[in-house]
Amino acid sequence: MYVFDQPRAPSGARRALGGIGGLRDGDAEALRREAASVAAVSVFTSIESQVTTSFANARTSIMGTDLSYFPVRGFELAAGRLWTAAEERSKARVCLVGPTAVAKLFGGADPMGR
């Protein structure tokens, strides 16, 4: 099940993100703690943006998520590593790049560590 934040004004019109209401950081933790029938919870947000590397630049999706996203979605990495819980807590700059973005942004170069 997916739960999306769709902010609405009292009139029913969509509001800009960041307004009153909507999902909060503690909501996922509350689900983990209180919803006995829920096996796992993950959070994410995404935007489209221009991304630049020393090889190229391209418009692509950027997603922010937590470590639980991968087992919840059943995803495995083809190469590299996930970030650690310590990196997640400290908001370290760790990036996983999908195959389409690798092709657009790095051509034939290995993106690891760049």
Side-chain angles (χ1 to χ4, degrees), residues 72-91:
V72 165
R73 294 296 310 268
F75 290 164
E76 293 182 13
L77 297 183
R81 69 170 181 88
L82 289 176
W83 58 92
T84 66
E87 288 171 325
E88 187 168 298
R89 282 190 304 275
S90 70
K91 299 183 174 151

Side-chain angles (χ1 to χ4, degrees), residues 22 35 38 43 63-65 78 95:
V38 173
V43 298
M63 178 185 283
T65 190
C95 180

Side-chain angles (χ1 to χ4, degrees), residues 20-88:
I20 298 171
L23 298 171
R24 301 280 183 233
D25 290 341
D27 293 337
E29 187 54 42
L31 284 169
R32 286 183 188 106
R33 186 179 58 249
E34 298 176 24
S37 62
V38 173
V41 175
S42 180
V43 298
F44 73 91
T45 188
S46 65
I47 62 168
E48 292 280 326
S49 185
Q50 195 73 19
V51 176
T52 303
T53 68
S54 59
F55 298 95
N57 69 73
R59 188 153 185 86
T60 189
S61 295
I62 300 171
M63 178 185 283
T65 190
D66 58 10
L67 283 169
S68 60
Y69 183 81
F70 297 89
V72 165
R73 294 296 310 268
F75 290 164
E76 293 182 13
L77 297 183
R81 69 170 181 88
L82 289 176
W83 58 92
T84 66
E87 288 171 325
E88 187 168 298

